[in-house]
Amino acid sequence: MNEIDIKKIYNLKIKEYLKHNKQYYEKSRPIITDKEYDKLKNEIINLENENLNLKNKNSPSHNVGFKPSKSFDKYKHKVPMLSLSNAFSKEDLINFEKKIFNYLNANLKFNYSVEPKIDGISASLTYKNKKLIYGVSRGDGKVGEIITENLKTINDIPIEIKDKNFPNEIEIRGEVFIKKKDFLKIKDNFANPRNAASGSLRQKNPLVTKKIPLNFIAYTFGYINKNSNKYQSDFLNELEKWGFKINKDNIILNNINEIIEFHKKFEDKRFDLDYDVDGLVYKVNDLKLQDRLGFTSNAPRWAIAHKFSADNAFTQVMNIEIQVGRTGALTPVAKVKPVNIGGVIVSNATLHNEEEIKRKDIRVGDFVKIERAGDVIPHVIEVNKKKREKNSKPYKFPENCPSCGSKTLKEYNKSTKKYDAVRRCTNDSFGCDRIAIEKIKHFISKEALNIDGLGKKVVEKFWKLNLIKKPQDIFNLDYSKIKKLDGWGILSVSNLKTSIEASKTISLQKFIYSLGIRYIGIENAKLLSDNVKTISNFVEIAKNKQFYKFNNIDGIGETQINSLKNFFTNELNLNILIKLKNILSIESNNLNKNGILKNKNFMFTGKLEGISRAEAKSLIEKNSGNTLSSVSKNLDYLVIGMKPTKKKLEQAKKLGIKVISQEILIKLLNKTY
Ligand code: IVH
């Protein structure tokens, strides 16, 4: 056969292959058997191997995994599915425990439920009257996708529960994963077992899901109408009684030393397990303490993931590029020769900062060892200096911002009496192009305005086309121009318009966060929005530079106030705030507005016992009350702890404000400790 004939046959086979994909994945109606389909795929791949000139972007050799479906219905989780904070060392664990003691304001004794962290995909199963009614993916943590039928194909997931003690309504969470030995059979289609599990779960056709043998291990609950267990470890045992699989290696440990020892042993043992484990999860075992500790904006305070050491590989640094971050930090990034580390192709490695480059003497052209652990960005661990070229020169870090040319600085930290390791562009504003782009990406991100269809790449593209230069431009886009761009059509433009319109209504907390001011993350934005209440108050303070008004907010310190000052002293930034205020509809916080402490204002003085201020404040807010930072006639209750400030007590008495003890406050809340 000549070359032209071979090419013809090849193209026909590709056409045939695409036709069957469509039948299978989109129409869910295959017209050939799996065996015939696999044969066709192999024929194409064999032709490619024998004739190196044959290439097609639709070839099965390019097709990593099956294309997931976009068409699942969305489901708002009753209780958000958050992630876990990571620990890599004993120090991190000590810190984790310290934070718990601080929050509870007591050195309570508790033990930990220790569970292997399976590297799979989390799923949520809602049972009502003992029947599985919803199976949902994690999604962005707030909204997931309904994949009930796919989850039902997993043998480990009971569809109906027999046990008489099963709650009427419960949401059980766990990990969907694929065993190592099963992955071997399909490894050509997926980068790693985790991707295989994820791809399989997101198939439109449950029959496809069924083909890939998935497993499920249960480890926690989301919503539950009645929990009779006092401990996480009891809950795990109960899960098993109900018919769920739990991890056989779960164990209760008493303290960090025991934990470290177990981690060491398990780190070796993990290679003998038949599934991928990327660390251990430690959970405060007492469920009542878990409830008291609650969550920060993205992770529980009562649990942490202790990662195992990472995979690594050797490669060469081709270039060093400087990225400018949202708040002006200059981060050097090594562009390396692409290398496979633990199933993932790595071509960038962070070099952290100027100090790190100096300390390790990393140069362009060097051969380096790169490490990658879980979702953490790959980084260089060491340079192989023996392989270094003779004429190589140390890397010279730029002294001016590569984006706007402004001076860069390493800040001096008064409390540590040291210069910061990070160099920053001094023009932290929308006046520096790279900073502006990063701030806009932050503005549209999930936790901020959450504009679907306007991802990071689109922001970069629209910036180049002069469509978006400032956040307010998003609300005045030239859609006639966008319609004509590659990859955009009437439908995607109309979807974009709708999600931009929807994003205009936003809580004050999210809005303050969305501005991307240094040191003002979600938590601090909440503190500020609780204090100012309305966007007008916030704008007035920014306009008139009255940041001293934030002095009394518990949790907002000099660092945050200075950062706000710097940000709004820049007229460009202030102008953007004012423009956005006029375009958006910014609501006050959506706290529970009808709780038992509705319209009641509290203030603390003195040290509380067995509970921290942060926890007491959050309890008051959960019940619709407010906390104030100074005594005024608006105050309803002054809560006194040990050694209260005399002046505050006197002021309160003068104004006829009720002075109550911590015990009375707890009684008001119907809580016991
Ligand atoms: S508890 C609030 N327990 O790790 C978070 N998670 O980074 C509660 N995971 O999304 C999660 N094994 O997919 C928990 N025994 C375990 C786990 C586990 C694996 C995964 C899960 C979660 C991720 C958190």
Side-chain angles (χ1 to χ4, degrees):
M1 231 186 307
N2 67 27
E3 217 172 275
I4 298 171
D5 289 337
I6 294 176
K7 189 147 194 187
K8 259 191 199 155
I9 293 173
Y10 175 78
N11 286 340
L12 277 174
K13 285 194 191 291
I14 293 269
K15 222 171 153 187
E16 181 83 2
Y17 169 71
L18 289 177
K19 181 178 104 189
H20 291 302
N21 274 351
K22 207 167 175 177
Q23 284 296 135
Y24 203 124
Y25 298 124
E26 287 178 27
K27 299 193 174 156
S28 301
R29 202 172 293 156
I31 47 176
I32 53 172
T33 63
D34 288 357
K35 223 174 166 178
E36 284 164 332
Y37 177 78
D38 288 343
K39 191 168 157 247
L40 176 63
K41 254 171 58 175
N42 284 337
E43 282 167 1
I44 296 174
I45 293 170
N46 285 341
L47 276 175
E48 281 174 7
N49 289 343
E50 286 157 16
N51 304 277
L52 293 178
N53 59 332
L54 294 180
K55 260 188 208 131
N56 190 304
K57 72 175 193 315
N58 293 317
S59 153
S61 58
H62 287 278
N63 199 351
V64 179
F66 305 117
K67 204 170 154 202
S69 173
K70 281 187 177 167
S71 56
F72 291 105
D73 286 337
K74 302 280 181 277
Y75 181 96
K76 188 165 183 296
H77 298 296
K78 266 194 176 165
V79 177
M81 286 181 86
L82 301 177
S83 56
L84 292 167
S85 318
N86 289 329
F88 295 94
S89 61
K90 183 168 180 181
E91 204 187 336
D92 293 347
L93 294 175
I94 292 173
N95 238 330
F96 162 70
E97 211 174 66
K98 220 187 248 163
K99 279 194 197 147
I100 293 183
F101 291 148
N102 279 345
Y103 195 83
L104 299 172
N105 203 7
N107 276 10
L108 292 183
K109 259 200 112 41
F110 54 80
N111 49 28
Y112 291 98
S113 169
V114 175
E115 304 160 20
K117 185 172 182 296
I118 300 182
D119 194 13
I121 299 291
S122 51
S124 132
L125 309 169
T126 298
Y127 290 84
K128 232 180 179 168
N129 302 324
K130 302 193 176 188
K131 286 205 175 74
L132 175 62
I133 55 163
Y134 281 119
V136 185
S137 69
R138 175 172 183 260
D140 65 0
K142 291 189 186 88
V143 177
E145 288 173 324
I146 302 180
I147 47 169
T148 320
E149 292 313 310
N150 293 0
L151 286 167
K152 275 185 179 169
T153 65
I154 302 177
N155 286 336
D156 297 340
I157 295 183
I159 293 170
E160 202 174 348
I161 309 286
K162 298 277 170 336
D163 193 282
K164 63 179 190 322
N165 288 328
F166 195 68
N168 286 342
E169 191 174 346
I170 183 169
E171 183 213 329
I172 287 167
R173 293 178 180 176
E175 206 74 358
V176 175
F177 62 100
I178 184 163
K179 289 195 176 155
K180 285 182 195 165
K181 69 168 187 311
D182 292 325
F183 177 67
L184 288 181
K185 292 180 216 153
I186 53 166
K187 73 176 188 331
D188 293 342
N189 289 325
F190 299 98
N192 54 43
R194 189 170 188 272
N195 278 6
S198 153
S200 163
L201 269 186
R202 299 200 69 249
Q203 294 306 312
K204 207 165 167 187
N205 183 349
L207 289 175
V208 182
T209 307
K210 208 180 161 116
K211 274 203 218 164
I212 300 172
L214 295 174
N215 305 272
F216 181 79
I217 272 189
Y219 49 65
T220 193
F221 54 86
Y223 174 80
I224 187 165
N225 74 324
K226 179 183 133 252
N227 191 354
S228 50
N229 294 296
K230 273 172 84 175
Y231 296 101
Q232 161 72 4
S233 46
D234 293 345
F235 180 74
L236 290 173
N237 292 334
E238 185 125 66
L239 277 171
E240 200 171 21
K241 270 191 225 146
W242 292 335
F244 291 90
K245 291 254 165 66
I246 62 167
N247 203 308
K248 289 201 171 57
D249 290 304
N250 293 338
I251 181 172
I252 301 172
L253 294 174
N254 292 306
N255 53 50
I256 292 185
N257 285 337
E258 283 184 19
I259 277 179
I260 296 282
E261 209 175 300
F262 184 76
H263 188 265
K264 249 194 216 137
K265 271 196 229 145
F266 207 85
E267 182 146 27
D268 292 332
K269 186 182 164 176
R270 72 173 157 143
F271 298 107
D272 304 329
L273 297 176
D274 196 21
Y275 48 86
D276 278 333
V277 175
D278 60 345
L280 292 170
V281 183
Y282 310 139
K283 300 177 182 169
V284 170
N285 200 19
D286 185 330
L287 294 179
K288 207 164 160 198
L289 280 186
Q290 282 193 9
D291 191 45
R292 278 184 64 188
L293 285 163
F295 299 85
T296 67
S297 50
N298 45 27
R301 289 192 185 86
W302 43 264
I304 197 156
H306 190 184
K307 293 292 183 86
F308 292 131
S309 54
D311 294 322
N312 54 55
F314 283 95
T315 184
Q316 191 180 14
V317 177
M318 306 312 287
N319 197 8
I320 294 178
E321 284 182 11
I322 305 291
Q323 288 178 352
V324 185
R326 168 170 63 84
T327 55
L330 305 191
T331 307
V333 176
K335 296 279 162 185
V336 299
K337 235 186 208 165
V339 59
N340 186 328
I341 312 184
V344 173
I345 304 293
V346 172
S347 49
N348 292 322
T350 178
L351 300 173
H352 301 293
N353 53 51
E354 187 179 358
E355 279 314 301
E356 170 91 356
I357 299 187
K358 256 195 207 149
R359 203 163 49 82
K360 292 187 176 154
D361 185 17
I362 301 165
R363 306 178 182 188
V364 174
D366 273 352
F367 288 87
V368 290
K369 188 175 184 182
I370 291 192
E371 187 179 82
R372 186 194 144 260
D375 314 330
V376 185
I377 305 173
H379 59 273
V380 171
I381 22 181
E382 60 186 31
V383 175
N384 181 348
K385 293 198 176 142
K386 281 185 200 141
K387 280 183 94 176
R388 180 177 275 170
E389 294 270 342
K390 275 203 194 81
N391 58 0
S392 106
K393 289 194 183 65
Y395 177 74
K396 202 171 162 319
F397 206 90
E399 289 191 353
N400 289 71
C401 170
S403 168
C404 70
S406 300
K407 250 179 65 187
T408 60
L409 258 191
K410 286 186 186 175
E411 287 171 4
Y412 183 71
N413 186 323
K414 274 191 221 153
S415 54
T416 60
K417 297 206 168 63
K418 274 187 191 154
Y419 281 94
D420 205 350
V422 176
R423 194 175 269 282
R424 289 175 181 280
C425 167
T426 46
N427 182 16
D428 177 12
S429 75
F430 284 89
C432 170
D433 279 6
R434 268 329 305 177
I435 294 181
I437 296 175
E438 292 308 314
K439 284 203 194 300
I440 293 171
K441 286 181 190 167
H442 172 82
F443 183 73
I444 55 136
S445 67
K446 280 223 158 68
E447 278 83 20
L449 267 79
N450 190 16
I451 306 180
D452 255 0
L454 197 66
K456 291 183 180 176
K457 284 203 180 122
V458 180
V459 168
E460 294 270 358
K461 188 166 175 185
F462 285 10
W463 175 277
K464 275 192 201 131
L465 296 169
N466 284 330
L467 285 160
I468 299 179
K469 290 283 170 180
K470 302 207 175 68
Q472 60 265 35
D473 299 339
I474 293 172
F475 308 99
N476 194 17
L477 282 174
D478 183 348
Y479 289 105
S480 62
K481 204 167 163 185
I482 297 173
K483 236 181 257 172
K484 290 184 201 133
L485 298 175
D486 246 11
W488 288 85
I490 297 176
L491 189 66
S492 47
V493 166
S494 137
N495 285 344
L496 180 63
K497 254 188 208 169
T498 314
S499 53
I500 288 179
E501 235 8 77
S503 76
K504 281 187 175 170
T505 305
I506 185 170
S507 70
L508 180 57
Q509 174 192 344
K510 279 198 175 182
F511 174 70
I512 294 177
Y513 169 75
S514 77
L515 296 171
I517 305 167
R518 190 169 166 208
Y519 298 118
I520 309 296
I522 294 182
E523 300 289 323
N524 287 338
K526 178 173 186 311
L527 294 176
L528 291 172
S529 76
D530 284 352
N531 182 272
V532 294
K533 304 268 186 307
T534 67
I535 180 64
S536 303
N537 288 343
F538 187 76
V539 171
E540 278 315 296
I541 292 175
K543 254 192 199 163
N544 302 321
K545 316 277 175 285
Q546 296 163 325
F547 300 103
Y548 60 85
K549 289 196 171 169
F550 298 143
N551 274 342
N552 289 327
I553 306 179
D554 236 0
I556 298 288
E558 204 187 328
T559 315
Q560 289 77 16
I561 292 184
N562 280 340
S563 170
L564 286 159
K565 223 186 255 172
N566 280 345
F567 188 80
F568 289 117
T569 303
N570 185 307
E571 285 299 314
L572 242 149
N573 294 344
L574 184 63
N575 201 299
I576 286 170
L577 172 74
I578 296 167
K579 287 260 158 62
L580 287 173
K581 175 189 175 241
N582 295 333
I583 296 170
L584 303 174
S585 149
I586 304 169
E587 301 166 330
S588 46
N589 301 15
N590 50 4
L591 289 168
N592 165 16
K593 295 190 180 77
N594 286 312
I596 43 175
L597 301 184
K598 185 179 170 183
N599 296 333
K600 294 281 182 262
N601 292 325
F602 291 77
M603 188 184 147
F604 298 102
T605 175
K607 192 172 178 333
L608 304 177
E609 223 177 310
I611 182 172
S612 64
R613 280 229 184 141
E615 188 185 357
K617 188 170 182 296
S618 123
L619 272 175
I620 289 174
E621 285 167 1
K622 269 187 201 155
N623 290 283
S624 325
N626 266 319
T627 52
L628 302 183
S629 51
S630 60
V631 182
S632 71
K633 59 180 191 317
N634 295 334
L635 193 65
D636 295 290
Y637 295 98
L638 180 68
V639 185
I640 52 164
M642 274 175 344
K643 294 197 189 150
T645 313
K646 261 194 193 146
K647 202 172 150 206
K648 287 182 184 158
L649 252 169
E650 278 163 15
Q651 279 176 328
K653 279 184 183 154
K654 227 187 247 167
L655 291 169
I657 289 159
K658 279 184 207 135
V659 177
I660 61 170
S661 66
Q662 173 183 341
E663 286 75 29
I664 306 268
L665 170 68
I666 302 294
K667 258 193 203 148
L668 280 178
L669 292 165
N670 284 331
K671 285 254 172 190
T672 48
Y673 279 94

